[in-house]
Amino acid sequence: MIVGKWYIVRTQPRAEALAAAEFDREGIETFCPRIAASGCNARKGWVPLFPGYLFLRSDGESDGLPTF
């Protein structure tokens, strides 16, 4: 069973994937929900459901919270 609390992390605009990759390199689980783009963004394919934010799971007691 995976133990840990979920945290919301604010990223720079349109940098969710970059931040998620950095957390993944550190071994921290991330989640960035995406939806199919529509309207003006339709050619982008998928866009973040919450632009500028992603979720990460961390056990703050043993891992400590990551810093950048």
Side-chain angles (χ1 to χ4, degrees), residues 23-47:
F23 284 122
D24 289 342
R25 276 195 275 279
E26 297 292 322
I28 298 170
E29 180 182 359
T30 60
F31 177 64
C32 184
R34 297 183 177 272
I35 57 172
S38 62
C40 297
N41 294 326
R43 57 187 173 165
K44 292 183 182 179
W46 295 90
V47 294

Side-chain angles (χ1 to χ4, degrees), residues 7 9 22-23 26 28 56-58 60 63-68:
Y7 296 90
V9 177
E22 287 293 323
F23 284 122
E26 297 292 322
I28 298 170
L56 65 89
R57 185 185 344 223
S58 177
D63 296 343
L65 292 175
T67 58
F68 286 87

